Amino acid sequence: MATETTPSSAPAKVKRVAIVLATGSYQREAPTTVLRLVEKLLQRGVDVNVWAFEEAVTLTNKDQIDHNEPGSLQKVLGEKHPNIGRFIDQMIRAGLHGAKLDWVSCILCVQERGVEKHQMGGSIVGTLGDLWKFVKAADRVICIPTYR
Amino acid sequence: MARYLIVDSRDLTEYTNGRYIQKVAGKLKEDGNDVTLFLIENGVIAARKGGDIAKNLTDLSKRGAKVLVDDISCKARGVAQLADGISQSNVDQLADLITEGSDKVIWY
């Protein structure tokens, strides 16, 4: 007689993660950390929804330009310092063939900072309603603190 | 019992509530939960061997919590020697902890 197995009490694997980010370009390390983490989550087939507000809406400004590194650092870092929007763009596009990254910038925050018309393709200008839906749908919500 | 993942990205000495998050981790462990404290960015500074807060982290690990540090953050800050009970980790493991190794994630 077969032994009856106990149903697994292990929680279902996380399929969707929402990340709330308020730190902008060149302010602190948080955007870099978020991108490092998003890349790993996408590799695991996890869909990621990023809600960017306050200064984080500048991360997807398409008019950022690569700038030259100081001469003394070029041997270490290379000649050009790439902008962060380029990495976000690459990860959004990677979702065409794998797990999906949605990157939503808060409409009030982009308007306040004059970057509404400068958002790169792929990122979406959205409302708090989108944040609510992200949170509601997520298996995990990660809120990255902004240091004051 | 729940599995808590606490990610600390701030230097624990920079803000007084750095003490608070250590207390939270200790209390959660004391209450029988599975606790992982993952230090990243400036959070890894506290893990340097010889520091005062490092002693608290060692004590936390002795009480059964896992204390992990991000390797890239350590390299960027020249943190080569870790206090006892603290293990080197990476963002791959952080992603695993978020997706499969925790029930609740707190990012401080």
Side-chain angles (χ1 to χ4, degrees), chain A residues 113-145:
Chain A
R113 289 160 181 80
V115 293
E116 185 181 11
K117 308 288 183 209
H118 301 262
Q119 292 290 301
M120 62 190 205
S123 71
I124 300 157
V125 175
T127 67
L128 284 172
D130 297 305
L131 172 60
W132 167 239
K133 285 172 186 167
F134 281 172
V135 170
K136 206 173 166 190
D139 301 304
R140 294 280 181 277
V141 178
I142 299 172
C143 189
I144 309 288

Side-chain angles (χ1 to χ4, degrees), chain B residues 85-103:
Chain B
I86 301 174
S87 306
Q88 188 163 294
S89 182
N90 52 43
V91 173
D92 265 305
Q93 193 177 0
L94 176 60
D96 286 339
L97 284 165
I98 290 168
T99 54
E100 296 187 68
S102 63
D103 304 312

Side-chain angles (χ1 to χ4, degrees), chain A residues 11-14 17 28-30 33 36-37 40-41 43-44 46 140-148, chain B residues 3 9-10 14-15 40-41 70-73 77 91-92 94-96 98-100 102-103 105 107-108:
Chain A
K13 189 178 174 230
V14 167
V17 172
R28 284 190 180 259
E29 205 175 340
T33 301
R36 289 174 65 204
L37 180 59
K40 300 298 182 186
L41 292 171
Q43 284 171 3
R44 283 159 177 74
V46 175
R140 294 280 181 277
V141 178
I142 299 172
C143 189
I144 309 288
T146 304
Y147 309 162
R148 304 290 186 200
Chain B
R3 298 174 302 165
S9 56
R10 308 186 200 192
E14 194 176 356
Y15 297 87
I40 194 166
E41 297 177 22
D70 171 49
D71 56 350
I72 302 290
S73 302
R77 290 160 181 80
V91 173
D92 265 305
L94 176 60
D96 286 339
I98 290 168
T99 54
E100 296 187 68
S102 63
D103 304 312
V105 181
W107 199 297
Y108 169 72

Side-chain angles (χ1 to χ4, degrees), chain A residues 21-28 31 53-59 84:
Chain A
L21 178 65
T23 312
S25 311
Y26 311 112
Q27 285 188 299
R28 284 190 180 259
F53 73 118
E54 296 182 0
E55 284 304 308
V57 300
T58 62
L59 298 169
I84 199 159

